[in-house]
Amino acid sequence: MAVPKGSPIKTLADIKGQKVVFQKGSASHYFIIKALEEVGLKYSDIKVLSMPNVEARGAFIQGTIPVWVTGDPHLALVEKLHGARVLRDATNIGTPGGYYVGTRQFAKENPELLRIILEEIDKNGQWAEANRKEVAKLIAPVLKIDLPIQEIICGRANYRLKGITPELMKAQQSVADLFYHEKILPKKIDVQEALLTPKEYAAITPPTLISEK
């Protein structure tokens, strides 16, 4: 969550009554709800405006957005180039993250193949976390981002994979429940309906992922 350079907003509590921009239904949406709870504010205490990140970045730079909830690379860009100030990062509010998704049939029929694929992806992640500056050099020209900014992005990125665990799915269910409560989702979602069995996950999950909690 960022504010422009020179903003009179100094603390998270100061955003009460302010226009706050983020993409509805995103990780940023979950983040702002939980961040507001920390300081005793309600979702209704802010003026919500949903806007795509690319569009919002331009408005933020122009000074028409007082509070912007976003992530990298957008956050790193406005921090480095425009002096944006971070009010609250995602420490202790992080969402369960993203997933590699496949059909149930394919997962059931190709456990060994999936295990190898995930193992190789995680090996790349291990290398990336040990060689962040090299990763930045590889990615910067592809994304057309200046190297110093890409180094910031890579420096705080997570590259390792996590195995599917009951704890992780409990956290994912809590996100779904919150979004239903806030009427972002039209109906309740049972995360369990999208899962394989513990035995099936064990067959496709490399040992290195199992140890990642």
Side-chain angles (χ1 to χ4, degrees):
M1 182 188 306
V3 295
K5 182 179 180 180
S7 170
I9 299 172
K10 302 299 182 185
T11 69
L12 184 56
D14 293 338
I15 72 171
K16 183 176 182 179
Q18 296 287 340
K19 179 169 67 174
V20 181
V21 174
F22 53 89
Q23 285 188 293
K24 286 187 176 181
S26 67
S28 294
H29 198 155
Y30 175 79
F31 167 84
I32 187 64
I33 293 173
K34 303 303 289 185
L36 289 169
E37 289 177 357
E38 286 186 344
V39 293
L41 295 179
K42 299 177 182 178
Y43 190 62
S44 57
D45 287 327
I46 60 173
K47 300 173 183 177
V48 175
L49 178 61
S50 181
M51 188 183 298
N53 276 316
V54 174
E55 182 181 342
R57 189 172 75 198
F60 183 84
I61 292 170
Q62 293 170 11
T64 59
I65 292 177
V67 184
W68 186 25
V69 183
T70 188
D72 288 334
H74 311 286
L75 181 59
L77 282 164
V78 295
E79 280 185 282
K80 185 72 174 178
L81 299 180
H82 303 282
R85 178 162 40 86
V86 176
L87 282 182
R88 173 70 161 89
D89 63 19
T91 302
N92 298 324
I93 302 184
T95 58
Y99 301 90
Y100 286 95
V101 181
T103 65
R104 189 180 302 275
Q105 181 179 348
F106 184 85
K108 286 175 176 288
E109 295 177 354
N110 300 277
E112 186 59 33
L113 175 60
L114 286 177
R115 186 185 184 94
I116 293 170
I117 291 171
L118 293 174
E119 187 172 37
E120 292 303 311
I121 291 172
D122 196 49
K123 283 180 181 178
N124 287 337
Q126 292 178 49
W127 180 87
E129 293 204 344
N131 299 274
R132 293 177 184 272
K133 287 188 178 295
E134 289 301 313
V135 175
K137 290 178 182 178
L138 291 170
I139 295 178
V142 176
L143 298 183
K144 295 181 173 58
I145 294 176
D146 291 342
L147 182 58
I149 297 174
Q150 188 60 53
E151 286 180 342
I152 294 174
I153 297 168
C154 291
R156 56 197 186 195
N158 295 317
Y159 293 104
R160 294 294 305 279
L161 297 184
K162 294 181 180 180
I164 299 295
T165 64
E167 294 79 14
L168 185 65
M169 290 303 96
K170 183 178 180 181
Q172 187 64 65
Q173 186 65 57
S174 71
V175 174
D177 292 343
L178 178 63
F179 276 13
Y180 174 71
H181 179 266
E182 296 293 334
K183 297 181 172 57
I184 302 165
L185 294 174
K187 64 178 183 178
K188 288 184 70 67
I189 290 177
D190 183 356
V191 172
Q192 290 294 325
E193 293 179 357
L195 300 181
L196 300 172
T197 67
K199 183 177 180 180
E200 288 167 339
Y201 278 123
I204 68 173
T205 306
T208 53
L209 272 66
I210 293 173
S211 63
E212 294 287 309
K213 301 292 185 182

